[in-house]
Amino acid sequence: MPITRRATLAAATLLATPALGQSWPSRPIRIVVPFPPGGLVDTLARALAPRLTERFGQAVVVENRAGAGGNIGADLVAKAPPDGHTLLASSLGPVAVNQFIYATMPFDTQTAFAPIVLLISTPKVLCVGPQRPWADVAALVAAAKAAPGRLTAGSAGPGTSLHLALELFKRATGTEIQHVPYRGAAGAITDLVGGQIDMVIDNLPNILGQITAGQVRPLAAATTTRLAQLPQLPTMAESGIDFVFGTAFGMLAPAGTPPPIIARVAETVTEALRDPAIGGRLAQQGAILGGGAPADFAAVIAREKTLLEPVIRAANIRAE
């Protein structure tokens, strides 16, 4: 984060501290993760919890409330008292994307949350099974155009970031590729390794192990620059494709949470992310550590909505 922005955020936090006094936190803080245990955001929230406990002087506990694409856990936070004792750690699905996929939402995405801080973002990598003949993206695209709808791509389910990445790739390349939804990314990767599907566009931390083990073949990264973990892998731009896409995860509070509390959490999380003991393992796996001011994260959410709404509507993506 730029020094001036960090200084501004720190100053706001220091000014807010006297007003907060000893009133917050007055009891344990709950971080709700609206997905099952073991995912990226769950892992990071659990790594952050001890540091936040130390800094805030109250226990910080992580609670998983999975279901409905993250809507169940997000709804719990949206309806919680806006006093800083219930926070949400999530992908942008419940707060930016689900409103375009679900027929009804249990909360108003526009007004339910106050963004706090970007936690991590994860670059996407297009991989094919080792049995497939394509050595680069150009060969894959040529095969897809030669047989529209015959190639298959797995995802973690309808409307997930893997599915949206596929739709963006299809738009960028003018191809028709059959979407094969799974209940989670693990099933898609298993079938990719086994040869049941042709390709997956997944988050790098999810599939790096299979790449390094030679179980899948990466063709390109949907990033602006090459990945440190895979420096020989070209970007989509280097492959002639205008396609940059990743997945962001962040922390939010119920709307109406006092700005001094939000500023203090943002500053503390940003500091914690810089500790290699907290974010180091995920960074080694390809995650890009976040941090920064609430306004920075709000801008990320806004960009996600603008990018994905037309894609979702054009592809008529609906939750099952």
Side-chain angles (χ1 to χ4, degrees), residues 27-287:
R27 61 182 186 276
I29 297 170
R30 175 174 54 165
I31 299 178
V32 176
V33 175
F35 307 109
L40 291 174
V41 70
D42 179 68
T43 299
L44 183 55
R46 293 181 187 281
L48 286 168
R51 178 62 58 84
L52 300 184
T53 295
E54 175 188 325
R55 292 289 189 265
F56 296 152
Q58 287 280 355
V60 176
V61 297
V62 177
E63 178 179 330
N64 298 92
R65 290 292 188 94
N71 285 349
I72 291 175
D75 185 48
L76 187 154
V77 176
K79 294 179 170 59
D83 56 11
H85 292 94
T86 303
L87 307 175
L88 178 69
S90 176
S91 70
L92 299 192
V95 299
V97 176
N98 287 0
Q99 62 181 319
F100 308 124
I101 296 174
Y102 284 78
T104 60
M105 290 286 288
F107 50 83
D108 185 342
T109 304
Q110 306 299 325
T111 61
F113 301 103
I116 299 177
V117 64
L118 176 68
L119 294 174
I120 57 173
S121 57
T122 55
K124 289 283 196 297
V125 177
L126 189 162
C127 296
V128 299
Q131 314 90 341
R132 299 306 190 260
W134 314 301
D136 52 35
V137 175
L140 172 67
V141 170
K145 289 184 175 180
R150 182 171 296 178
L151 269 62
T152 54
S155 84
T160 61
S161 69
L162 278 67
H163 183 193
L164 297 173
L166 171 63
E167 296 300 333
L168 285 166
F169 179 78
K170 288 161 57 178
R171 287 166 67 97
T173 57
T175 54
E176 183 55 45
I177 299 170
Q178 182 181 348
H179 172 228
V180 182
Y182 291 79
R183 293 187 179 275
I189 294 174
T190 297
D191 276 5
L192 182 68
V193 172
Q196 281 74 44
I197 57 175
D198 294 308
M199 59 180 281
V200 165
I201 306 175
D202 200 358
N203 297 315
L204 177 60
N206 286 347
I207 204 167
L208 182 60
Q210 286 79 12
I211 293 173
T212 56
Q215 296 177 310
V216 301
R217 183 189 312 123
L219 298 188
T223 53
T224 55
T225 59
R226 292 198 176 194
L227 299 167
Q229 295 78 10
L230 301 168
Q232 302 305 313
L233 183 68
T235 66
M236 286 285 182
E238 290 174 314
S239 304
I241 308 298
D242 182 13
F243 174 46
V244 176
F245 185 57
T247 301
F249 302 83
M251 187 172 287
L252 305 97
T257 300
I261 293 176
I262 289 174
R264 185 174 172 190
V265 174
E267 177 72 11
T268 306
V269 169
T270 298
E271 175 194 9
L273 288 172
R274 304 296 176 255
D275 185 343
I278 293 176
R281 179 172 172 271
L282 288 175
Q284 290 173 355
Q285 294 175 332

Side-chain angles (χ1 to χ4, degrees), residues 96 99-100 303-315:
Q99 62 181 319
F100 308 124
R303 286 197 299 271
E304 191 88 346
K305 292 177 181 177
T306 300
L307 172 66
L308 294 178
E309 180 181 4
V311 176
I312 292 168
R313 297 199 187 283

